Amino acid sequence: MKLVLDDDQQLLAKTAAELVSRDDALKRLRRLRDEKNENGYSKEVYAKMAELGWTAIPFSTDQGGAGLGVAEMAVVLEALGRALTPEPLLSSVMLGGRSLALGRFSESSWLDGVIDGSKRVCLAYQEPGSRFDAHHVETSAEKTTNGYRITGEKVHVLDGSGADAYIVSARSSGDTAAAAGIDLFVVPTRVGGVEVAVQRRVDARNAAILRLERVELPATARLGASGEGAALLDSVIDGATAALCAEMLGSMSEAFDRTVEYMKERVQFGVPIGSFQALKHRAARVFVEIELARSAVMAAARALDAGDDRARALVSVAKAKCSEAFLLTANEAVQIHGGIGMTDEHDIGFFLKRARGAEMTFGDAAFHRQRFAALSGY
Amino acid sequence: MKLVLDDDQQLLAKTAAELVSRDDALKRLRRLRDEKNENGYSKEVYAKMAELGWTAIPFSTDQGGAGLGVAEMAVVLEALGRALTPEPLLSSVMLGGRSLALGRFSESSWLDGVIDGSKRVCLAYQEPGSRFDAHHVETSAEKTTNGYRITGEKVHVLDGSGADAYIVSARSSGDTAAAAGIDLFVVPTRVGGVEVAVQRRVDARNAAILRLERVELPATARLGASGEGAALLDSVIDGATAALCAEMLGSMSEAFDRTVEYMKERVQFGVPIGSFQALKHRAARVFVEIELARSAVMAAARALDAGDDRARALVSVAKAKCSEAFLLTANEAVQIHGGIGMTDEHDIGFFLKRARGAEMTFGDAAFHRQRFAALSGY
Amino acid sequence: MSDLESFRAETRSWLEKNAPSELRQKATDPDAIVWGGRRPTYVYPQSKRWLDVMRERGWTAPTWPKEYGGGGLSKVEAKVLAEEIFRLEMPPPLYGFGLQMIGPTLLQYGTEEQRTEHIPRIVRGEIRWCQGYSEPNAGSDLASLQTRAVRDGDHFVVNGQKVWTSYGNFSDWMFLLVRTDPDVKKQSGITFILLDLETEGVSVKPIKLISGASPFCETFFQDVRISVENVVSEINAGWTVAKALLGHERSMIGSVFGAGRRAKKRTDVLVETARRTLGEREGRIQDDVQRDRVAELLIDQACFELTVQRSHDGAKAGQKPGPESSIFKVYGTELNQRRHEAMQSMRGPSAVGWEGPGFSEEDLQQTRDWLRSRGNTIEGGTSEVQLNIIAKRVLGLPD
Amino acid sequence: MSDLESFRAETRSWLEKNAPSELRQKATDPDAIVWGGRRPTYVYPQSKRWLDVMRERGWTAPTWPKEYGGGGLSKVEAKVLAEEIFRLEMPPPLYGFGLQMIGPTLLQYGTEEQRTEHIPRIVRGEIRWCQGYSEPNAGSDLASLQTRAVRDGDHFVVNGQKVWTSYGNFSDWMFLLVRTDPDVKKQSGITFILLDLETEGVSVKPIKLISGASPFCETFFQDVRISVENVVSEINAGWTVAKALLGHERSMIGSVFGAGRRAKKRTDVLVETARRTLGEREGRIQDDVQRDRVAELLIDQACFELTVQRSHDGAKAGQKPGPESSIFKVYGTELNQRRHEAMQSMRGPSAVGWEGPGFSEEDLQQTRDWLRSRGNTIEGGTSEVQLNIIAKRVLGLPD
């Protein structure tokens, strides 16, 4: 595993950076938030991303994908993270699409739709009582003559408002937190008994509550073999976590760059505040943390792509480090910006809010430290 | 409870500061260390302390004491801590003497000896497996026709080398870590079956291992009523912990003052290093921590003297805060002194070593955080 | 019975009769705070009655001189009064910058005319005051402020802008710093002046914060005319007045995070949040890692409260005040931030809520409080400025 | 079979034959390190044989030119050699400042005569080198050094003092910085020069550290005469040479705390210490609070190692070297300190041992290692200096 971008990845990074520089995503995010837009993203921009092939990245060419991996997705998401771009690439591709692909879903039109960007499929796995444990599933999957009957409530469904379908985790047997007994099901939004409510997040990202009341599904709605749900969920979430870390890396890098810029411009006591050594040292420490985060993100993505034994542990390394580094960066950014950093009018606060939102997605640092310890056998 | 020194306490502080300024304790500590002196302190200086009445401080006038409290002992020990004074005031008075006094020991000559400084009595309660749990007692006290037979091993006996007697915790019943079943016994050094080995500590303080091999004691050797041992031990150690915190407070204050002085003198890049803002801010933060530690130490001592309900919790507050503040201060002191701070020839390293030694006496910060949480009911 | 004992007895019976029972137990309820002013609002209708009876006796400002409408109480009597109010857990009858900041400043630096005009109206809660210090380019470096005041006969003509005016949009008068001499050392050309915000040329605009609330305003001055009679102390001597007031502000902000009931409430909220979000067994927080963090925070909280107490005890014992205000400011605000960060961690996914559904009112409020807490280390003198002050004034480190 | 493959095959079979089996598996054993010099010591007798066979081929310095006794290998060949040595877990045949620091410097800046004189003796381990940079008043501000060198015909006469000379008492030659022009900007009057420590007027005194060990010395110069032929690069151009060498030293120190076997060993020691001192259940550390701390440290360790790897991978891919050496120095050393602090905490009362009885050898060594680790953030450029470098060179923040 080499921790460098190859030529193709560099080209991809360049393309993504160009799109981001043309499109003022943060302004769009602010507008969508102020309008209380239910989807929280622009369909046109998302279509443009699909056109650039980004929605196809991590899928095999057999499936109509680009045959690339998490590492390439990370390159794109890092660029998007720089502008806090709200388009649902992570959710539809890394969660929805990858569930369909890894679960070998029979009805190929869904994955096709994800890959060409015409459909959005979201993963609904969290529940009010699950905190960060994906195996905590109270939603029930009752066997019927023709298939399954699903009842339960899912929360924090990323980009869940306006989705075309949901991948829902449900339990046919076992205790609430057991890995055994979980299955994943494809639930089209228009099926009877499905109710979607918009959730408003601090980071202004799209999220939803999904209520399933005796939703009748055919047997073919199940992903993978029976009982494979937990393992499938773990794989999908690991990939999405690495990708989210890349997005966080982009966001923290941008927040940091803006702060360093501000330190050079803002004059107090007759000199730029960046000439104060106490601030310099703090900025240097933030820089080091971001450098470490970058290494961890690159390693996690490449280990996943290579099927490396250490992949899961490296995903936890990356998420623990990115969660803390992003919060540190954002807190220091607001502090160094001073009063203006506390105003809604200034953009830097959006990074702080996103730091919290991203931290609480797929497990915070404390959760991943525990997971890392368990995976390391101590 | 008022967190100020009254007039008598201020006078006591002044007297103690004067003794410390006349007597270069740190030089003595260094010499005793280099000579591998078994006692690690000066009998002459200790006699002088007794003469000043310090060994009598926390005992009631009925018992021949000064009728003062932990708060006054704290005043003296803070002054001694400034010079890392190694004389065994804490061990003989706050541990040995207070055990005898609180345990209402029948043979008054021992307590008289402690009070006039002619005898040293040490508390032997730690064992190889006890870590910081004073109720972890494996040493056995077997009932005999005339009294007790004690067998076991005690370690980290403070100032244990050259003591005249030991207060030993031993168990006549109950599980290894149970509070019930523990008693305290007075074991004169010259009794058969007692063996003392000198321990060499990083902070060059006197400590010993005590081995008791079927030591025969009369029934009158027991302190307090049978089964009172654990409660007695807790009270004695709480008082000594508050007193140790005061000593730590003096030591960290001195290490800090020396560091600030050095920051004003040491010139690099043509200016005193104390003009560098990054160092200034770090010094200011250390200062704040020491101020907080001072408040906690004063409160703990006064709460103990007043028999306040919150006393135990405040002792934990003080020890947790002092352990961390002293280590922080000492680490920053060595770092700011630079290379010279790493040499044995320079005194600042003694403060770092003492910070570690004091941290590990009567429980470190983690231990006291847990204790504080338990005492606070969460 | 000593005079003080009889004062206590009388006070107690008077309070029993006059303190509206509906407000008892509401000592820490933010809705029970009354700010007064020309357009006063009362969330609880009884708050008006409570203010009325108290201000009649001058007990909104118990130690201020009777001649200006104050209570004329001695410090010990005022303490007894505070204890008796505390006993009933009554909220203060009136709160604000008038009582806390400009009132004491006018008593120290004001002219007889200024005192006669303003102090009684502060005591009675008829005028709500705000502070005009910071400017867009004068934050930590406050003395570089640029709002100009040019003399024109008996008036100053003021042009410029202030920011971070707390509740400027609800206030009637502002005390502000203006530059009256641009040609001398920056600290030497500043004047402290009083301004009725209804004067022509003043406009006020709320600033929305990242927490969603707008407790601060920007204030703009366009050819605003202020009589020179409104200058406090001498012209060009405003920096001295301002510094006295700033020290006061620091201890106010610091002590808000310090001892007393609010601290107790904060402690309880932290422990309750831990138990609620992480689970408990017989009251013990289940997650040992977070329990350790709670204990660390509450030990620091205890040390901080004890330091506030030590400072008060020292002052009572006649010790000279030390660097307390800077210590309290830097530590109290950071501790509050650490507490909020810890609670966010405990709350996990629930910490990301901004509006319902799916999040409890408590969750939403905690998220906004967390965001608001990030400003604590900026407002009222940044932590960096406080650390500079400690390094210079206390440790004597060189520039 | 490609050339490289055949090189590997030959190397492997040669090593199988010549690498003393007694030294295999001893790659990280400190006793297996050979420093060479005029009075060489070998803890393991086989170390001498290992040095002999390797230096015959120039493989103590595999990539150095053959004409000076080096191995003359290409970078890829040298990598194959390293891999094959790694495969047998053999220690390096020779180690020290000659190979790591002065050798590369002479290859870059030295005269033909200097190379011919010194390089072969470095390769063969016949001369042990030490560094004379710091002085009592020139620590972080190295350029303010005061050791004077006054020209006297073909010689310089040197007077002054150096400190923090690693293993000065075991070394034969020193490369040092002296002031040759006191009248110009401090960086411009410094010369880089080589000195045989057996020269008259040189005296060396070990410095005892707080850990009890004495790995450093003070060196005093009294009218020491050095031929001008020993000047490296130009007179008064020593600062450029020194800076090149300092960057090298930083990465050396940083990488010691970085990746590879030592890091693995450090990880294992931390986890083992936690299990031993806090108890375990099926390998899981019992104390959840400390377990969280171990995980935090090892996550940081992993991130650090990956960053070292990323830097190497980037260099191989032709990327320009960035600020890595300062990052590695500041982070690697602090991480090592945090690790030692954590282990001290875990060990509890056993952490206070200095000598026996009552403390295990392991405990005593860990205590001394903890004390030694406090120097990591001072030696080789303090953390403060590294942070200054990052702020200036990477972030471009103004002075």
Side-chain angles (χ1 to χ4, degrees), chain B residues 16-310:
Chain B
E18 277 164 12
L19 181 88
V20 167
S21 74
R22 274 200 308 277
D23 158 55
D24 193 343
L26 225 165
K27 203 166 162 186
R28 185 167 70 249
L29 178 65
R30 179 188 288 279
R31 183 171 45 74
L32 292 163
R33 178 198 71 169
D34 292 345
E35 285 171 357
K36 302 207 173 204
N37 182 294
E38 300 234 323
N39 292 329
Y41 74 97
S42 151
K43 293 198 175 176
E44 291 67 37
V45 175
Y46 191 60
K48 176 75 190 157
M49 292 176 176
E51 209 175 285
L52 285 165
W54 296 351
T55 42
I57 287 177
F59 304 108
S60 70
T61 46
D62 294 356
Q63 291 167 314
L68 298 169
V70 182
E72 284 75 17
M73 204 67 203
V75 164
V76 171
L77 282 166
E78 183 188 337
L80 300 189
R82 282 226 164 231
L84 299 179
T85 315
E87 277 62 38
L89 204 57
L90 178 77
S91 60
S92 196
V93 174
M94 295 304 293
L95 291 173
R98 290 250 301 171
S99 296
L100 295 168
L102 294 179
R104 303 172 306 281
F105 190 52
S106 53
E107 221 177 302
S108 67
S109 66
W110 282 108
L111 183 55
D112 293 346
V114 166
I115 290 177
D116 68 18
S118 63
K119 289 207 176 73
R120 284 211 298 112
V121 179
C122 290
L123 180 66
Y125 74 101
Q126 279 178 285
E127 300 190 353
S130 65
R131 200 172 167 96
F132 298 125
D133 180 3
H135 297 174
H136 177 110
V137 177
E138 296 182 47
T139 297
S140 67
E142 192 188 335
K143 259 280 196 200
T144 59
T145 39
N146 298 322
Y148 295 89
R149 185 179 299 119
I150 315 285
T151 297
E153 183 182 7
K154 298 292 178 178
V155 294
H156 302 297
V157 183
L158 288 187
D159 298 318
S161 173
D164 300 289
Y166 299 88
I167 313 291
V168 173
S169 57
R171 176 176 297 289
S172 50
S173 67
D175 289 339
T176 302
I182 298 172
D183 279 308
L184 298 185
F185 298 93
V186 179
V187 181
T189 311
R190 277 175 300 183
V191 153
V194 174
E195 192 197 321
V196 181
V198 177
Q199 271 185 312
R200 300 281 173 198
R201 287 164 58 103
V202 69
D203 58 5
R205 290 297 181 93
N206 174 323
I209 300 172
L210 187 67
R211 291 196 189 83
L212 304 128
E213 183 61 36
R214 300 175 65 80
V215 174
E216 299 284 344
L217 297 175
T220 54
R222 199 191 62 225
L223 288 178
S226 178
E228 254 188 17
L232 195 52
L233 205 48
D234 290 346
S235 294
V236 167
I237 293 174
D238 273 344
T241 305
L244 173 65
C245 286
E247 189 199 310
M248 294 165 82
L249 178 65
S251 303
M252 71 180 94
S253 300
E254 179 69 20
F256 181 67
D257 290 351
R258 289 178 184 218
T259 303
V260 170
E261 215 38 59
Y262 188 77
M263 288 171 73
K264 293 176 187 172
E265 285 164 12
R266 170 74 172 174
V267 171
Q268 289 284 278
F269 305 104
V271 293
I273 60 171
S275 66
F276 292 118
Q277 196 199 29
L279 292 191
K280 278 186 190 178
H281 281 196
R282 277 157 54 184
R285 289 194 181 278
V286 172
F287 174 77
V288 173
E289 290 296 329
I290 296 175
E291 286 291 303
L292 295 184
R294 175 171 301 281
S295 312
V297 170
M298 291 179 81
R302 280 156 185 73
L304 283 169
D305 287 339
D308 193 312
D309 286 348
R310 295 169 304 165

Side-chain angles (χ1 to χ4, degrees), chain D residues 12-44:
Chain D
R12 183 173 297 187
S13 80
W14 184 86
L15 282 172
E16 288 288 2
K17 194 152 45 184
N18 289 285
S21 54
E22 299 86 345
L23 294 178
R24 296 187 190 179
Q25 322 294 327
K26 288 198 165 48
T28 59
D29 181 346
D31 287 341
I33 292 177
V34 170
W35 296 85
R38 287 173 181 149
R39 294 148 296 171
T41 55
Y42 304 96
V43 178
Y44 298 109

Side-chain angles (χ1 to χ4, degrees), chain A residues 36 131 156 198-202 209 266 268-269 282 331 335 338-340 342-344 353 356 360, chain C residues 136-137 139-141 164 208-210 341 344-346 348-349 352 354-355 357 370-371 374 377-378 384:
Chain A
K36 302 208 174 201
R131 200 173 168 95
H156 303 296
V198 177
Q199 271 185 314
R200 299 281 172 198
R201 287 165 58 104
V202 69
I209 301 172
R266 170 75 172 173
Q268 288 285 274
F269 305 103
R282 279 158 53 186
N331 280 338
Q335 180 70 23
I340 196 140
M342 284 296 294
T343 64
D344 185 68
K353 292 174 173 180
R356 182 65 72 202
M360 294 306 177
Chain C
N137 290 308
S140 290
D141 182 13
W164 306 118
K208 188 175 168 193
L209 295 187
I210 55 175
E341 297 290 337
Q344 291 290 99
S345 294
M346 290 168 189
V352 305
W354 187 249
E355 285 171 6
W370 153 61
L371 285 164
R374 301 309 319 174
T377 49
I378 297 169
E384 290 76 13

